[in-house]
Amino acid sequence: MTILFQSLIHDPDLWIDALQPALPDEDIRPLAEIDDKASVDAAIVLAPPHGLLASLPNLKFVQNLGAGVDGLLKDPSYPRHLPLARMVDDGLANKMAEYVVLHVLRYHRQVEAMQFNQRNKIWKWLPPVDASERCIGIMGMGELGVAAAKRLLGFSFQVVSWSRRLKAIDGVASFHGADQLEGFLRHCQMLVCLLPLTPETTGIINRRTLSLLPRGAYVINAGRGGHVAEHDLLHALDNDYIAGATLDVFAEEPLRQDHPFWVHPKVTVTPHNAADIIPSRVVPYIADNIRRLREGRPLLRLVDMKTGY
């Protein structure tokens, strides 16, 4: 089979060098080396340009290199009849959990306040808060959310969750459905968003939902940029209702140079790297799906087109 590798982020040579030994009988090429689009049987992609996949007439399968597929499904020409697999593995979940714990602890241990004091040569004791008295709320309890919750429980934080359907996780108070969103938010001294992006979750962090958080809460978004109404978040930060925000994903990426998030004193910007994938970890999963495609066996981690994840 001819397999297209296309990503706006990853080095194609690095990935093809990692994939080829696992799939020695397949012809894996970057887009620049595809002479005949009709020859492409499968595509391994991240953020392909709109229209690319629809232009491959004999495409049979798409393997996404990320956990979220909303970027693909925004393409009005995306061939929705094709099987689409998303990338989920223990390494991805562990990396996301690391990111969440890192930034929760930054806020919990008042790192930014101490850095400000250092820059200004201020020796000042900051009253501590015990982790058991700090409530962290996680929106989205898939593999990534569960991994983050378990790590946070290990630090003795209170953890609550909200998801579309009820999820039973030991030690986590679970809320679900639109009717329970308000009750969930009122608990969250730090709100962590790891939701998939769907029509129901687009703009879910907005002026109303931010107002339901306790005053002085923090927001950590590593889900999708579309979850945040950016003007509403800036308003809440500027009015000292939200104490700080860490944002890994944005409505427009790369974040434009004149965006106020870059210079806002209460915002930490990270370049969509909360859960970067490492080729050596995920190549076995990709190769397994390609072999399954060739052999006519069921594919793994397929996206439900109705839910978008």
Side-chain angles (χ1 to χ4, degrees):
M1 291 193 297
T2 297
I3 301 171
L4 165 67
F5 181 92
Q6 195 282 337
S7 171
L8 293 179
I9 298 172
H10 302 104
D11 179 348
D13 292 336
L14 184 152
W15 274 87
I16 291 171
D17 287 347
L19 285 161
Q20 200 67 74
L23 295 165
D25 298 326
E26 316 301 349
D27 182 14
I28 309 171
R29 300 186 187 186
L31 180 60
E33 296 179 13
I34 297 293
D35 299 319
D36 178 10
K37 288 187 175 182
S39 68
V40 176
D41 301 287
I44 302 168
V45 299
L46 185 68
H50 285 195
L52 172 62
L53 297 176
S55 73
L56 307 174
N58 294 313
L59 189 64
K60 302 175 182 66
F61 168 60
V62 179
Q63 172 69 62
N64 193 48
L65 281 175
V69 299
D70 51 281
L72 285 174
L73 300 184
K74 282 181 183 176
D75 179 355
S77 68
Y78 180 81
R80 289 174 174 261
H81 63 284
L82 295 179
L84 167 63
R86 64 192 187 100
M87 185 56 62
V88 176
D89 78 289
D90 291 341
L92 198 66
N94 287 337
K95 284 192 172 297
M96 182 61 79
E98 290 172 359
Y99 183 90
V100 171
V101 169
L102 167 66
H103 294 289
V104 165
L105 289 177
R106 276 182 55 239
Y107 292 134
H108 174 63
R109 294 303 301 263
Q110 305 176 81
V111 170
E112 290 181 333
M114 288 188 285
Q115 289 175 331
F116 174 86
N117 289 345
Q118 179 183 348
R119 287 193 298 270
N120 292 279
K121 301 179 182 178
I122 299 170
W123 185 277
K124 181 181 180 181
W125 179 79
L126 301 174
V129 176
D130 194 80
S132 65
E133 298 174 4
R134 184 90 72 183
C135 185
I136 317 299
I138 301 177
M139 303 177 82
M141 289 301 283
E143 294 93 339
L144 305 183
V146 170
K150 289 180 177 178
R151 294 282 188 91
L152 292 169
L153 289 170
F155 286 92
S156 298
F157 288 109
Q158 299 175 37
V159 181
V160 297
S161 72
W162 181 83
S163 51
R164 189 165 66 95
R165 291 189 289 266
L166 180 63
K167 300 290 181 73
I169 309 297
D170 288 345
V172 177
S174 298
F175 295 77
H176 70 286
D179 293 344
Q180 296 186 12
L181 179 58
E182 179 174 340
F184 161 78
L185 291 168
R186 293 193 183 280
H187 286 82
C188 302
Q189 293 164 299
M190 296 188 201
L191 177 66
V192 178
C193 181
L194 300 176
L195 289 166
L197 187 64
T198 67
E200 292 74 28
T201 64
T202 297
I204 196 169
I205 300 175
N206 54 48
R207 185 167 297 199
R208 176 182 175 275
T209 53
L210 289 167
S211 73
L212 295 171
L213 297 170
R215 177 176 287 274
Y218 296 87
V219 173
I220 299 169
N221 184 27
R224 285 292 180 267
H227 290 131
V228 174
E230 294 181 349
H231 290 294
D232 292 353
L233 177 57
L234 285 165
H235 181 270
L237 290 163
D238 291 339
N239 286 277
D240 296 324
Y241 193 83
I242 297 300
T246 292
L247 307 172
D248 186 55
V249 287
F250 305 91
E252 180 184 348
E253 295 183 5
L255 191 64
R256 69 178 192 271
Q257 290 293 302
D258 63 346
H259 199 292
F261 283 155
W262 281 117
V263 296
H264 199 289
K266 296 181 182 177
V267 174
T268 298
V269 170
T270 60
H272 203 149
N273 68 346
D276 269 349
I277 56 175
I278 298 172
S280 62
R281 289 199 60 94
V282 301
V283 160
Y285 301 119
I286 298 172
D288 185 22
N289 255 350
I290 295 296
R291 286 191 291 268
R292 286 170 175 267
L293 176 67
R294 176 180 278 283
E295 296 165 8
R297 293 186 288 134
L299 300 168
L300 303 177
R301 302 174 187 83
L302 291 180
V303 172
D304 182 338
M305 291 295 176
K306 294 180 179 178
T307 63
Y309 57 91

